[in-house]
Amino acid sequence: MRDSFGRTIDYLRVSVTDNCNLRCVYCMPATGVERRTHDEILRFEELERILRVAVDLGIRRIRVTGGEPLVRRGIVDFLARVAHLPGTEEVTLTTNGVLLDELAEPIRAAGVRRLNVSLDTLRPERFRELTRGGSLGRVLRGVAAAEAAGFDPLKLNVVLLRENLEEVEHFAALTRERALHVRFIELMPLGEGSCYAGGHFVPATEARRRLEERFELEPALVQGSGPAVSWRVRGGRGTVGFIAALTEHFCDRCNRLRLSADGRLSPCLASDQAVSLRDALRGGATDRELVRLLHLAVRAKPQEHRMESGQGKGRRMSQLGG
Ligand code: SAM
Ligand code: SF4
């Protein structure tokens, strides 16, 4: 599929739930998150039907995300079915790692080869504050289980914040000994992030300069790294990368669509436009109608996001899948 600006769209991010077992300060409010009812969320069979049609149209990479995808019952079987859909080249998962200790092995066995774990700090107290109650030890056990299960690449997503800037070198140091690929991501002013971003935002260049003062960095290539620009600490096993979604946006290379847990297909993270595939499916849509709706979303892709001027403020990351 090609959009109006000539970009090939072959990547779909699928949120399988809005629920989460953490409450990260920049992503969800502390309380008052409405839980969607069972009926509002796409059933796995519905999702699979959409994915089959999308893959027929040229989607090659699928990322499963949330909310926290691992809290959804039946997720491992679902991942296995998606990983074996003919035509998919890659199925990846983004998780907060809380449940990985038990699930890393079965997820790898299901056919998922690449994994992203979100982890913003290596300090237990700070982790508890940023996630409003999470246990760092549990996530670190999850990361170790993922390394043992053989995910390749295994990436750590670190959202850059004023609070964790002093830790960038600790994350980089991890990549010397371990085959971990750390990606520092600029905080986006979406949902909770829009209030939080004010005093907490750190541009990727600031973090990179900090690392350059402490380490010798050489350019590196990481498989499936999309918009990240990656570097290797000299002699290191892993890499560090930067995703500067705000300060150097990479919209000209955007290749993706997003499907929310309740079946809305969005052309862009910051866009308010979406088509409801759930309503179409439940209204008896044929595959041809689904094809039409997918093309509609592709045609609606804007040339670039306008997050810096407030677009997308009302949308929460846990609904969009990050
Ligand atoms: N719960 C899973 C997790 O945390 O990995 C998957 C969903 S989460 C919404 C996906 C990613 O979005 C995480 O890496 C998270 O740090 C990131 N994220 C959430 N809110 C963000 C924001 N305002 N700006 C930048 N990244 C954000
Ligand atoms: Fe949950 Fe992920 Fe959002 Fe944190 S970033 S609250 S783990 S969905």
Side-chain angles (χ1 to χ4, degrees):
M1 291 184 282
R2 235 170 230 283
D3 75 1
S4 337
F5 304 96
R7 296 171 295 200
T8 300
I9 309 304
D10 59 2
Y11 180 26
L12 182 62
R13 293 178 79 105
V14 180
S15 168
V16 293
T17 178
D18 289 347
N19 290 338
C20 189
N21 44 7
L22 297 179
R23 286 284 178 278
C24 301
V25 286
Y26 52 74
C27 179
M28 281 176 126
T31 53
V33 182
E34 285 168 43
R35 274 185 85 126
R36 297 210 189 272
T37 63
H38 220 59
D39 256 6
E40 285 177 288
I41 299 292
L42 286 178
R43 292 189 291 274
F44 281 140
E45 309 84 78
E46 292 174 319
L47 262 174
E48 280 172 59
R49 181 158 164 224
I50 294 170
L51 292 180
R52 211 166 285 124
V53 171
V55 169
D56 278 349
L57 283 178
I59 293 294
R60 293 289 168 261
R61 296 169 59 204
I62 296 168
R63 175 170 298 281
V64 176
T65 172
E68 172 47 38
L70 300 188
V71 300
R72 183 153 175 188
R73 215 176 307 145
I75 187 70
V76 177
D77 291 341
F78 171 71
L79 288 169
R81 289 196 297 276
V82 177
H84 293 102
L85 262 185
T88 22
E89 282 167 15
E90 152 185 315
V91 176
T92 51
L93 178 75
T94 302
T95 171
N96 61 26
V98 171
L99 298 174
L100 260 189
D101 195 7
E102 304 108 75
L103 292 179
E105 190 71 59
I107 292 169
R108 182 66 194 86
V112 176
R113 285 191 299 119
R114 300 175 180 192
L115 187 69
N116 288 21
V117 181
S118 305
L119 177 60
D120 299 334
T121 172
L122 298 167
R123 302 196 176 171
E125 189 50 39
R126 186 171 287 158
F127 186 85
R128 224 182 336 269
E129 281 165 21
L130 287 175
T131 60
R132 298 197 183 94
S135 151
L136 174 65
R138 221 172 145 176
V139 175
L140 293 180
R141 283 197 295 282
V143 172
E147 286 177 283
F151 288 96
D152 183 24
L154 174 56
K155 298 182 185 167
L156 296 186
N157 286 359
V158 182
V159 175
L160 286 169
L161 304 165
R162 278 288 147 215
E163 297 88 313
N164 64 5
L165 184 59
E166 58 176 1
E167 291 190 61
V168 291
E169 51 265 33
H170 303 150
F171 278 104
L174 276 186
T175 69
R176 280 214 280 227
E177 310 295 326
R178 294 161 72 175
L180 293 171
H181 300 277
V182 172
R183 289 135 39 101
F184 297 107
I185 299 173
E186 282 180 352
L187 178 65
M188 289 180 249
L190 294 168
E192 292 303 298
S194 61
C195 320
Y196 202 73
H200 301 262
F201 178 81
V202 176
T205 43
E206 187 174 337
R208 203 185 65 219
R209 254 184 260 123
R210 202 180 154 107
L211 284 188
E212 281 165 350
E213 281 165 16
R214 290 161 173 83
F215 299 100
E216 207 177 320
L217 299 180
E218 41 195 43
L221 251 181
V222 184
Q223 265 185 329
S225 254
V229 180
S230 300
W231 308 86
R232 189 179 301 281
V233 173
R234 187 177 273 276
R237 292 184 62 204
T239 61
V240 291
F242 298 90
I243 301 186
L246 266 286
T247 56
E248 292 168 36
H249 65 61
F250 34 81
C251 299
D252 57 328
R253 284 171 284 141
C254 184
N255 58 352
R256 60 195 60 181
L257 292 175
R258 297 184 140 79
L259 184 64
S260 65
D262 60 356
R264 280 172 300 121
L265 186 65
S266 302
C268 168
L269 196 52
S271 163
D272 293 326
Q273 293 189 37
V275 283
S276 176
L277 297 186
R278 182 194 66 191
D279 294 351
L281 277 175
R282 295 185 186 171
T286 58
D287 282 0
R288 245 175 103 157
E289 176 61 3
L290 293 180
V291 167
R292 191 185 71 77
L293 294 174
L294 274 147
H295 280 303
L296 199 67
V298 167
R299 273 203 304 276
K301 275 186 76 64
Q303 188 163 19
E304 54 188 33
H305 71 68
R306 300 248 188 272
M307 280 193 261
E308 56 283 11
S309 49
Q311 192 191 38
K313 244 165 99 171
R315 318 193 70 209
R316 192 179 294 153
M317 252 339 192
S318 57
Q319 291 163 340
L320 299 164

